[in-house]
Amino acid sequence: METTLRGVGVSHGVAIGEVRHMGTAVLEPPAKQIPTEEAEREQGRARQAVEAVAADLIARGNLAGGEAQHVLEAQAMMAQDPELMADVDRRIAVGSTAERGVYDAFASYRALLANAGEYLAGRVADLDDVRNRIVARLLGVPMPGVPDSDEPYVLIARDLAPADTALLDPALVLGFVTEEGGPTSHSAILARALGVPAVVALPGAGELAEGTVIAVDGSTGEIFVEPSAEKRAEMESAAAARKAALSASSGPGATSDGHKVPLLANVGGPGDVPAAVEAGAEGVGLFRTEFLFLDDSKQAPSEEKQVAAYRAVLEAFPEGRVVVRVLDAGADKPLDFLTPADEPNPALGVRGLRSLLDHPDVLRTQLTALSKAAQGLPVHLEVMAPMVADRADAKAFADACREAGLQAKFGAMVEIPSAALRARSILREVEFLSLGTNDLAQYTFAADRQVGAVSRLQDPWQPALLDLVALSAEAARAEGKSCGVCGEAASDPLLACVLTGLGVTSLSMGAASIPYVRATLAKHTLAQCERAASAARAADSAEEARVAAQGVLSGE
């Protein structure tokens, strides 16, 4: 009998197939004591396992490329953390086996992260995956992971570690469903990059029996268990129609009556550029430069290294617009040379622009590198600061850009409610705004973007969040300046129409989402988008807002 479940759709598309479950977690190793004379040997075993796991993560990253590579390289650095290894050595020295020493050291570090604030929950999940891989290697058992199957299937898991998600084979894994996670988790972002339909935050997903046929709608978040022949045909027909619309859609982003909405790509470095170009991106709306800095948490990359990385991206979009976000460090992206190690709540502490203003030499070097990278190129370079709270922040950033001799537009990200509420004041210091809806939702609702239990509050359809977007767009229009969206909200085709109706002037997203958004915008007029935006803002919940907007755009 067909039943319907609902989670959070995070990656477009339809998948119909049999359920296969992710392997169970590594068992806790026994707590047995070893003689003192065996300690050195056990310490060597632990170091060898750590290095092997780090090498495996880096190799997986090299195979995956793009944003997945940056995520996996960060995990490899986590595995090799010297403080963690020192703790492992201490535990082995007093009698633990290598595997027990690793298990307990990671558990201790995990507790520290958890107590530092829920914002670090995403790093805790990654830490667990690293621990499991090291312990599995020491125990000589296979690392639980993607099931071995010759037939395509829908993958079910409690959560997916980046190392698993990055190497999913779309030819075999038709889609995936997880119990945990949220719309901005690593798994969701990587699923969109892969173009694999995905639903997260589905309670009870693990209870779906192996071999059960399910149909997954990655747009709506609906799961149909044992779908009828009629439901299958309906979903397959809708998927075919969507694919045809994507194929027929090309060129710059615009509504059906010609209102231009540039569609830009979010990239983490040169490795993400080919997919953006292939998708027809009109430029880059968010160049996340922190991935370049995460290669070595002990020191900033040299000016020369930065120039080379920036120029590789700028050269790919001649005459196009490239918006670079300066280093956004802190919270879940700590850097030893830049961010405090003892903050009680890093998400509310010294991160983003605050870190850079405390280390003006790091900001100056980056701005100088950007200036040199753009020399002689026809690209339209724009540079923006993360975590701008008020006009004083905006002025400090603009002054730093001018002092570095940067020939570019200077902008501010709107990720804090205060920036949206005082957007017009901020725009007296900078030339554009860019809404980072992931963090803006997090700070508006006090809801950690990595915690599935509060995923309804991370939903970018929340009317309160749409109100803040509208405030920012209205301020930009009044000042004659631009206001784009570079958060994950832009990747939802229906929401892209609503954002356009709110007055947003450009949309930036993962490359895989661009064709979907382009095709959907092309079917609606600006007036329809504006009516849909008004209907969504008049709602009292995210679900009501989505339904109201859908009703307007479908003519119901």
Side-chain angles (χ1 to χ4, degrees):
M1 180 179 176
E2 179 182 309
T3 57
T4 304
L5 307 173
R6 182 181 288 277
V8 178
V10 296
S11 184
H12 307 299
V14 169
I16 302 175
E18 292 188 0
V19 163
R20 294 286 183 275
H21 285 270
M22 196 75 155
T24 56
V26 174
L27 295 175
E28 180 178 346
K32 66 179 183 180
Q33 291 290 106
I34 60 168
T36 304
E37 60 268 21
E38 292 183 15
E40 188 173 344
R41 178 178 66 85
E42 289 294 289
Q43 289 169 340
R45 285 182 65 229
R47 282 191 291 273
Q48 287 175 358
V50 166
E51 292 304 320
V53 166
D56 178 62
L57 289 169
I58 290 171
R60 284 170 177 259
N62 290 337
L63 283 172
E67 190 157 2
Q69 182 173 5
H70 302 305
V71 173
L72 293 175
E73 286 175 349
Q75 268 198 297
M77 289 172 56
M78 188 184 292
Q80 297 169 305
D81 184 278
E83 290 187 18
L84 256 175
M85 283 311 302
D87 191 16
V88 171
D89 283 343
R90 282 193 296 270
R91 292 173 187 275
I92 294 173
V94 295
S96 288
T97 60
E99 45 267 40
R100 189 71 208 191
V102 167
Y103 187 91
D104 289 342
F106 272 74
S108 176
Y109 192 40
R110 187 187 199 281
L112 287 175
L113 287 183
N115 291 334
E118 287 193 2
Y119 191 85
L120 296 177
R123 282 186 69 81
V124 166
D126 291 353
L127 188 73
D128 287 346
D129 179 59
V130 172
R131 177 204 63 202
N132 289 347
R133 291 176 186 279
I134 298 171
V135 171
R137 182 170 288 272
L138 286 165
L139 291 173
V141 300
M143 175 65 197
V146 177
D148 185 16
S149 175
D150 294 328
E151 297 297 324
Y153 58 90
V154 177
L155 181 62
I156 306 292
R158 183 170 185 81
D159 202 355
L160 282 172
D164 294 316
T165 315
L167 294 183
L168 290 179
D169 181 355
L172 283 176
V173 182
L174 302 172
F176 67 76
V177 180
T178 68
E179 291 192 40
E180 299 293 330
T184 58
S185 64
H186 278 153
S187 292
I189 292 170
L190 293 176
R192 285 188 284 271
L194 287 166
V196 176
V199 172
V200 301
L202 179 71
E207 297 172 13
L208 291 168
E210 190 87 1
T212 302
V213 175
I214 65 172
V216 179
D217 189 326
S219 299
T220 65
E222 291 175 304
I223 307 292
F224 301 95
V225 182
E226 299 291 0
S228 64
E230 292 77 13
K231 174 58 71 175
R232 286 196 194 200
E234 175 190 327
M235 295 183 72
E236 288 169 350
S237 175
R242 190 179 299 155
K243 185 175 181 180
L246 293 179
S247 300
S249 176
S250 61
T255 58
S256 61
D257 55 342
H259 175 73
K260 293 183 178 179
V261 187
L263 303 181
L264 312 171
N266 294 343
V267 304
D272 293 334
V273 167
V277 172
E278 184 179 352
E282 298 167 61
V284 171
L286 173 61
F287 182 176
R288 300 182 178 98
T289 60
E290 62 268 18
F291 289 122
L292 182 63
F293 287 75
L294 289 171
D295 285 346
D296 182 355
S297 67
K298 303 299 181 186
Q299 61 182 1
S302 67
E303 182 181 302
E304 293 73 20
K305 183 176 181 179
Q306 291 188 55
V307 169
Y310 303 151
R311 193 169 181 89
V313 174
L314 296 176
E315 286 177 335
F317 296 95
E319 305 292 342
R321 177 186 179 202
V322 175
V323 184
V324 178
R325 179 176 69 190
V326 294
L327 176 60
D328 184 16
D332 63 340
K333 294 170 285 190
L335 293 172
D336 293 347
F337 66 90
L338 195 69
T339 50
D342 55 353
E343 286 187 299
N345 192 338
L348 301 179
V350 182
R351 63 167 294 197
L353 180 62
R354 300 167 186 175
S355 294
L356 292 174
L357 294 179
D358 281 351
H359 298 81
D361 54 323
V362 175
L363 177 58
R364 188 181 310 111
T365 299
Q366 185 170 25
L367 294 174
T368 301
L370 283 165
S371 180
K372 290 182 178 179
Q375 285 177 2
L377 296 179
V379 68
H380 299 286
L381 175 63
E382 301 183 14
V383 182
M384 61 185 182
M387 299 300 292
V388 170
D390 56 16
R391 183 173 180 174
D393 278 351
K395 183 178 187 304
F397 178 65
D399 286 346
C401 290
R402 282 187 283 267
E403 288 169 10
L406 187 62
Q407 298 298 308
K409 286 187 176 181
F410 317 141
M413 291 198 70
V414 177
E415 301 167 284
I416 304 173
S418 65
L421 294 168
R422 301 291 294 171
R424 196 159 183 181
S425 171
I426 287 171
L427 282 165
R428 295 195 175 105
E429 302 293 343
V430 296
E431 299 172 78
F432 69 93
L433 299 177
S434 184
L435 287 140
T437 52
N438 303 346
D439 269 324
L440 185 57
Q442 172 172 251
Y443 292 125
T444 298
F445 296 102
D448 187 331
R449 53 191 276 193
Q450 299 289 352
V451 177
V454 292
S455 62
R456 77 173 185 86
L457 297 173
Q458 302 154 3
D459 193 325
W461 280 95
Q462 285 285 355
L465 187 66
L466 299 181
D467 288 344
L468 293 176
V469 173
L471 278 175
S472 303
E474 288 163 7
R477 183 165 51 246
E479 293 293 321
K481 295 177 179 179
S482 63
C483 176
V485 167
C486 65
E488 292 300 317
S491 65
D492 179 335
L494 182 62
L495 186 51
C497 293
V498 168
L499 295 173
T500 298
L502 292 174
V504 166
T505 55
S506 66
L507 299 166
S508 189
M509 65 208 77
S513 298
I514 291 176
Y516 290 93
V517 173
R518 182 192 293 119
T520 305
L521 274 176
K523 293 191 294 187
H524 303 290
T525 65
L526 177 59
Q528 285 178 306
C529 293
E530 290 172 341
R531 288 197 297 274
S534 295
R537 289 184 68 189
D540 291 321
S541 71
E543 182 58 27
E544 289 176 10
R546 185 184 289 106
V547 170
Q550 179 68 64
V552 171
L553 294 175
S554 62
E556 295 176 1

